Amino acid sequence: MTTSFIRTMPVVLALALASIGVSAVAQTTAPAAAPATAEPTTTEKVKETGKEAVDATKRTTKKAVNATENGAEKAWDATKSTTKKAANATERGTKKAWTATKKTTKKATNATKNAAVKTGDAVETAGHKTADGMRSTGAAIGEKIPGTAENAAAKKQ
């Protein structure tokens, strides 16, 4: 059961009993004379109880409104804070990724340059060795062919 139900139930019962009492009083004859210090009538009691119920409802409603407003404000503040944190984290992550990409690209470029230089050196060395080998082979062949400078030089030795 909710708090509002518990608060309103006595009021409803009081109103129901008062309505029974009012109809019962209406059916009886009026009393001769009421003493000066008489207790309040049932109608007055019901009116007072009704006023108290209205006041209690107003207070409860005001508290509920304030609680809702406070909760909404806290939720909004939390949302703003969390969004700001997420944006900052994303920004930091993006910056780190960009820096890492730049570093990795620079390393890859340098590695490619180094590999190209080494490949060029290897091709050049291989070309020189091949050319030297061809010259040696040509000289060896020339020594065996009569009338060539190589053949004459070989005979002089």
Side-chain angles (χ1 to χ4, degrees):
M1 291 200 295
T2 63
T3 306
S4 61
F5 178 75
I6 293 170
R7 287 183 181 167
T8 56
M9 192 59 173
V11 174
V12 171
L13 288 174
L15 288 173
L17 292 175
S19 66
I20 293 170
V22 169
S23 62
V25 169
Q27 293 175 2
T28 61
T29 58
T37 59
E39 290 188 26
T41 64
T42 305
T43 306
E44 291 171 348
K45 289 179 183 177
V46 170
K47 284 182 183 178
E48 186 60 32
T49 306
K51 286 179 186 177
E52 289 174 6
V54 168
D55 291 343
T57 303
K58 285 181 183 178
R59 283 192 308 272
T60 306
T61 303
K62 189 173 184 178
K63 286 180 183 178
V65 167
N66 289 338
T68 303
E69 288 174 353
N70 291 339
E73 189 171 333
K74 285 180 182 178
W76 173 247
D77 290 344
T79 301
K80 283 194 310 188
S81 174
T82 305
T83 302
K84 190 172 185 178
K85 286 179 184 177
N88 290 339
T90 302
E91 190 174 312
R92 284 191 307 272
T94 303
K95 198 173 199 178
K96 286 180 181 179
W98 173 247
T99 303
T101 301
K102 284 194 311 187
K103 285 181 181 179
T104 305
T105 302
K106 190 173 184 178
K107 286 180 181 179
T109 301
N110 290 338
T112 303
K113 284 180 185 177
N114 293 339
V117 168
K118 286 182 180 180
T119 302
D121 290 345
V123 169
E124 183 180 357
T125 302
H128 286 301
K129 286 183 180 180
T130 303
D132 289 343
M134 290 175 80
R135 278 189 218 105
S136 317
T137 303
I141 293 173
E143 290 176 358
K144 297 190 185 205
I145 299 176
T148 62
E150 288 90 1
N151 188 322
K155 285 184 183 180
K156 288 183 185 177
Q157 288 181 346

